[in-house]
Amino acid sequence: MPDGRLVPSRRTFLVTAGLVAGAVTVPSRAAAHAAPRSRSLPADPFTLGVASGDPDHDGFVLWTRLALQPLAEDGLGGMPSRTLPVRWEVATDERFRHIVRRGTAVARPEAAHSVHVELNGLQPGRDYWYRFRVERYISPVGRTRTAPRPGTFGPALTMAFASCSNYEHGYFTAYRRLAEEDPDLVLHLGDYQYEYRKDTYVAPGGNPRDHEGPETETLADYRRRHAQYKTDPDLQAAHAAAPWLVVWDDHELDNNWAGETPERPEIPQPNFPERRAAAFRAYYENMPLRRTSVPRGIDMQLYRRIRWGRLATFHMLDTRQYRDDQACGDGYRACPAASDPERSITGPEQEKWLLKGFRVSKARWDVIGQQVFFAQRDSDAGPLKVTSMDAWDGYVASRERITKGWVEAGVRNPVVLTGDVHAHWAGDLKLDYDDPDSPTVGSELVCTSITSGGDGGDSDPADHPFLQINPHLRFYNNQRGYVLTKITKKKLTAHFKVLPYVHAPGAPVHTKATFVIEDRVPGVQQTYLRPVEGASAARAQDLGRRTVREETVRP
């Protein structure tokens, strides 16, 4: 309260921002064909919200995209075919009494009227608020944050990570609940959108929502699909709540694509390079990414490193663009080729970059944000090893080189974050998964989907056969949700958040399980809430943490 007046809390801001975002109306397909002829915009073009990303200690990227009619079939959002000046402002308060930076960007039709503003020169380790203006229209307000000053730890970091948000499979309530957690940083680990046309990929019980348009193959298709997702008010609220670090997985282009190979190479797709270039271009246009990620034809630099002071370094990987094709025809296989030392999921240049990052890191926590299951996940209780060829199990030598790399570099606390599999998992990382007594050398936290797979279902983790076959795996849950972490110098605490359903909007959220990774103690340790003396279990549930204590159980 520097000026002596009450400043609304960040949570109040999120609720207000959510109400603004919730006013978005998606026009009908008939209306989407009409483009304005007037020189002035006839309606609010900020229908896709705002976002920020890739924070540094002195700046971040701001993003918006103008669209009068988000579902226009040409992918251009019903915008006039001319450039438009877009003013932007950054303030130290959400009411914009103290504006510290302002300027003008240009929204161009050839970029689908997307805007990326890359800022530096701001103060480290603090919140900022931002907004855009075009003509008489003002965007929703977003909150973002700079990283701590280099060489300092700063306060505890609240970081959430998520993946797999299929618009058709449910409502994005999990994004709303994530925003209400007041995070400092959000990681999205892929499958931000899905490529399928209506009724192609159906969740158990049916799809409560439908995709517009055909399967995404052209630039117009991908732009339109991104726009449909961005009109969702819950997704808009999550983007407006904090800066994001994003990486793709497969569905941003084509299910299980690998390098320059589509999912089903036996079906001729002579246009696949063009499809890949279109997907990459639309991805950049719709994400808060720095200019280093501007696509160049069929290539796009997405792996990158973000430092959060000395507390954490985030190594964001791309395990799709440079990988060898899946071995043995993909799927779960007992496949000798999976151990071929020449096979790579990262490609040689990215692997070299990652290993160098391990060697020079001075962070307390080295966090690897990536897409597919890292630890071994054998599905066969007998002598065969049957694993997923699409995950790191299909690239065993690649996984061994990277794991040995962080061990040999003396990385203090390596933690792998994963999406893709539509379920929560937690586990220990090994150099030798076939030896249960092999030392634990790292930790893996896997987030479930936002919606993909539909409602899912609760279960007892002990009943899952994978946990019995793979003793290094510690936890499983098949509900929808996200993972909320708190990172301090002493420990990383991960709360596995779940929703009971996604087939309808407005579901509540609760913590299904909590795991802790202690400084210099590799591996995950589950914590339980135990009633204090004199308090019943029911009373503990009612009163929460005031009547319970945490008890950490080490395996």
Side-chain angles (χ1 to χ4, degrees), residues 424-437:
H424 282 319
W425 296 81
D428 300 337
L429 300 178
K430 306 273 188 175
L431 281 171
D432 184 359
Y433 291 99
D434 296 328
D435 177 7
D437 296 324

Side-chain angles (χ1 to χ4, degrees), residues 463-525:
D463 293 337
H464 198 292
F466 281 18
L467 272 68
Q468 300 168 24
I469 299 168
N470 305 274
H472 55 278
L473 300 180
R474 306 292 184 187
F475 174 69
Y476 164 85
N477 177 265
N478 189 38
Q479 293 172 293
R480 308 285 76 88
Y482 53 91
V483 179
L484 182 71
T485 71
K486 183 176 182 180
I487 305 175
T488 69
K489 290 189 289 184
K490 293 183 178 180
K491 63 183 179 180
L492 185 157
T493 304
H495 303 287
F496 287 84
K497 299 284 188 167
V498 298
L499 282 69
Y501 58 85
V502 294
H503 68 269
V509 67
H510 70 276
T511 299
K512 179 62 181 178
T514 297
F515 284 82
V516 169
I517 305 168
E518 295 180 353
D519 180 33
R520 294 189 185 278
V521 183
V524 296
Q525 306 162 17

Side-chain angles (χ1 to χ4, degrees), residues 55-60 119-128 144-149 184 243 307-308:
D56 199 350
H57 69 279
D58 68 344
F60 34 70
L119 291 177
N120 55 25
L122 298 172
Q123 293 297 311
R126 68 158 301 150
D127 289 338
Y128 287 94
T144 190
R145 185 170 181 83
T146 51
R149 190 183 304 277
D184 300 309
R307 295 178 174 84
W308 200 266

Side-chain angles (χ1 to χ4, degrees), residues 234-481:
D234 295 330
L235 176 54
Q236 288 193 16
H239 272 300
W244 282 39
L245 304 180
V246 299
V247 286
W248 56 41
D249 191 18
D250 52 341
H251 290 290
E252 288 87 352
L253 170 52
D254 177 44
N255 181 54
N256 282 18
W257 67 280
E260 297 182 31
T261 305
E263 176 188 13
R264 300 183 65 185
E266 73 276 9
I267 299 177
Q269 289 195 47
N271 67 332
F272 189 74
E274 291 81 6
R275 182 181 184 182
R276 173 171 147 162
F280 287 11
R281 181 172 173 181
Y283 187 82
Y284 177 79
E285 290 171 350
N286 287 277
M287 293 294 173
L289 291 163
R290 293 183 180 269
R291 63 176 67 95
T292 52
S293 293
V294 172
R296 292 171 174 82
I298 67 167
D299 299 316
M300 182 172 171
Q301 175 75 39
L302 197 58
Y303 67 84
R304 62 207 188 279
R305 191 170 287 118
I306 290 86
R307 295 178 174 84
W308 200 266
R310 285 191 61 192
L311 185 64
T313 294
F314 294 91
H315 310 267
M316 305 300 290
L317 301 190
D318 177 353
T319 63
R320 287 289 166 190
Q321 188 175 177
Y322 312 104
R323 67 159 66 189
D324 293 303
D325 194 15
Q326 292 91 341
C328 296
D330 207 350
Y332 269 80
R333 299 283 189 272
C335 179
S339 298
D340 183 344
E342 299 300 317
R343 289 177 52 74
S344 175
I345 196 172
T346 62
E349 290 302 316
Q350 184 177 194
E351 181 179 301
K352 180 180 178 181
W353 166 86
L354 181 58
L355 295 178
K356 181 180 179 180
F358 291 155
R359 291 193 297 271
V360 302
S361 177
K362 298 180 180 178
R364 180 63 54 92
W365 301 89
D366 278 271
V367 180
I368 303 166
Q370 57 92 51
Q371 297 78 10
V372 293
F373 218 95
F374 191 86
Q376 180 171 292
R377 208 166 43 138
D378 188 358
S379 65
D380 187 89
L384 289 179
K385 185 180 294 184
V386 181
T387 58
S388 170
M389 296 300 99
D390 189 54
W392 289 79
D393 276 330
Y395 306 83
V396 172
S398 193
R399 177 174 62 199
E400 289 178 352
R401 289 191 297 268
I402 286 171
T403 307
K404 288 179 180 177
W406 77 55
V407 171
E408 293 171 357
V411 170
R412 182 164 175 156
N413 294 300
V415 180
V416 176
L417 305 184
T418 301
D420 181 58
V421 294
H422 306 174
H424 282 319
W425 296 81
D428 300 337
L429 300 178
K430 306 273 188 175
L431 281 171
D432 184 359
Y433 291 99
D434 296 328
D435 177 7
D437 296 324
S438 174
T440 297
V441 297
S443 312
E444 182 172 21
L445 304 171
V446 183
C447 64
T448 187
S449 64
I450 293 290
T451 56
S452 300
D455 288 339
D458 201 359
S459 62
D460 183 345
D463 293 337
H464 198 292
F466 281 18
L467 272 68
Q468 300 168 24
I469 299 168
N470 305 274
H472 55 278
L473 300 180
R474 306 292 184 187
F475 174 69
Y476 164 85
N477 177 265
N478 189 38
Q479 293 172 293
R480 308 285 76 88

